[in-house]
Amino acid sequence: MTARPCREADVRAWDGEADVVVVGYGVAGAAAAIGAAVEGADVLVLEHTGGWGGAAALAGGFVYLGGGTGVQKACGFHDTPEAMHRFLTAAMGPAADAAKIEVYSERSVEHFDWLVRCGVPFRAAFYDRPAWEPPGDEGLMYSGGENAHPFADIAPPAPRGHLPRMADKRTGERGAGYQLMLHLATTAEQTGARARYGIRFLRLVVADDGRVCGVVARSLGEDVAIRARRGVVLAAGSFTFNADMVARHVPALGGRPGSAVEQHDGRAIRAAQAVGADTAHLWACEAAVHTDPGLMIRGVVVNGRGERVINEDTYPGRIGQELLLHHGSQSFVVADEEAADGAAADRAGTSMPLPPPTWVSEDIAELEQAMGVPPGALAATLGLYNRHAAEGRDPVHHKAAAWVRPLRPPYGVYDLRGQTSGFTLGGLRTDVDGAVLDVDGEAIEGLYAAGRTTAGIAAGGYASGISLGDGSFFGRRAGRAAAHG
């Protein structure tokens, strides 16, 4: 199915129109709809599925915000835009978009306040244990490794993972991401934005002068043309579920589970490329390793050769990236009884018990054989780690002293081989107001984009909450810019 544009002259009749047409009703699309509607534009959101939400509604719900938000202050943390800027510059990967990081850091507090005005609730409580996310309704957590090596030495650490409050949350069904989307979709409706569901975006419509003036989509088995009087905002997600694009750009994710929704098929990216759009960081991805962060931080993470690879107290997504991209998803966690008990205690009161280790033994050689690592490799790793841990330090990977202690037999080994999943980060190149840029760096008239359809703040690095953070932040700006044509 072609992604090449349709000429306006070939449109026999428009089947609908609006000032601003938004493609996709996830977090970026909802924010774009609000941003355009409050500027007085007539807004129509086109959504492939039967309702709003997208990947955001299934996400854990972190929104990465800082610089001194109300929740940060209420929890007793001091943060500044400058510290946030320094962290993001260091953590978001090579050639991260400096202009986006700057404006996002400078206006993060304002964006937090905007979310609150949209009705998104945040409880001013800090969750201080290692986890992918709080099991309860705490509204603040370290979500990017800000307090771990090397970032703790680059910028003053502050927790910036803001989690919308939700009672009786069920992650993956109706968690904090759903709560965020509920309030954004409600606000979009209240501001006058219309939505059309069950309609799949196919390609762009381009006028004779090169301006994007609409879209072609499929509804009930028929192709329909929707006119955009002022602009189109593409907010249709990543290319995580486009196997050909993944194989070409992020082969490490090939065959791995995708942490997104199947509508993240890259069509919006391809359609924009077909009208001359540039892309950035198509090779980049985020990854998760499917195990408990509280277990990793108390033990050691080793690769398929029995070698430690990273400081285990960092953001667990960084561990996942390291294992996926540099170690073929071949890894193990080695822990002891005290480490397992500590991790289990962190899960107390939740419905997620800590799984048992794959192998348990006092004999390291026996474990090496079971793991399939070279004889003596794990013994050397544990010997080096324990020798330094007895002195309360980790000069190899610089894990914080609070988490460093010698591991004692019997050892438990957790087999994590192949236990990674992820999603793509690269996409269309846009400016800070969401205008899609061509290969010469010029804005394509009438075309805007936001969210995972774009190359956002994350350019290989990541912190939990960046997708929902920059998706909503730059979605607002894209919608506002499109409203002014």
Side-chain angles (χ1 to χ4, degrees), residues 183-394:
H183 288 285
L184 291 182
T186 300
T187 300
E189 181 180 349
Q190 291 172 344
T191 57
R194 297 175 287 132
R196 186 169 172 180
Y197 299 108
I199 182 167
R200 184 188 182 195
F201 168 76
L202 297 178
R203 51 193 179 133
L204 297 166
V205 179
V206 179
D208 289 341
D209 62 0
R211 180 182 179 85
V212 172
C213 61
V215 305
V216 175
R218 179 158 294 172
S219 176
L220 300 176
E222 300 290 335
D223 287 359
V224 296
I226 310 294
R227 182 185 176 203
R229 292 184 290 262
R230 301 183 192 175
V232 172
V233 181
L234 299 177
S238 69
F239 62 93
T240 300
F241 279 89
N242 185 312
D244 290 340
M245 291 181 71
V246 167
R248 189 179 315 132
H249 301 295
V250 200
L253 277 181
R256 308 300 320 140
S259 300
V261 292
E262 63 182 16
Q263 288 75 29
H264 281 217
D265 60 6
R267 172 156 288 273
I269 297 172
R270 293 179 58 235
Q273 287 180 293
V275 299
D278 198 7
T279 58
H281 309 305
L282 293 182
W283 51 266
C285 70
E286 166 61 346
V289 55
H290 300 168
T291 193
D292 186 82
L295 183 67
M296 290 192 291
I297 202 172
R298 292 175 170 92
V300 293
V301 175
V302 301
N303 62 15
R305 298 185 299 274
E307 305 159 331
R308 277 184 80 209
V309 297
I310 197 169
N311 51 313
E312 295 86 358
D313 61 337
T314 191
Y315 164 53
R318 288 180 63 81
I319 300 175
Q321 283 184 323
E322 175 70 20
L323 297 175
L324 174 73
L325 298 176
H326 303 297
H327 300 279
S329 294
Q330 301 297 296
S331 64
F332 307 87
V333 172
V334 183
D336 61 7
E337 187 173 4
E338 183 177 341
D341 287 346
D346 286 346
R347 291 186 174 214
T350 76
S351 60
M352 300 178 292
L354 188 72
T358 310
W359 305 287
V360 177
S361 179
E362 296 189 0
D363 187 339
I364 297 178
E366 182 179 359
L367 291 173
E368 289 172 337
Q369 183 176 17
M371 296 161 66
V373 304
L378 182 61
T381 295
L382 288 178
L384 181 64
Y385 179 80
N386 283 341
R387 184 165 71 252
H388 292 138
E391 301 170 351
R393 61 194 188 98
D394 174 23

Side-chain angles (χ1 to χ4, degrees), residues 91-115:
M92 290 299 101
D97 192 316
K100 287 183 179 178
I101 288 176
E102 182 175 5
V103 69
Y104 188 69
S105 301
E106 287 178 351
R107 303 186 184 182
S108 183
V109 171
E110 186 276 332
H111 190 57
F112 169 82
D113 293 340
W114 177 81
L115 290 172

Side-chain angles (χ1 to χ4, degrees), residues 71 111-122:
V71 168
H111 190 57
F112 169 82
D113 293 340
W114 177 81
L115 290 172
V116 172
R117 291 197 302 273
C118 288
V120 182
F122 296 93

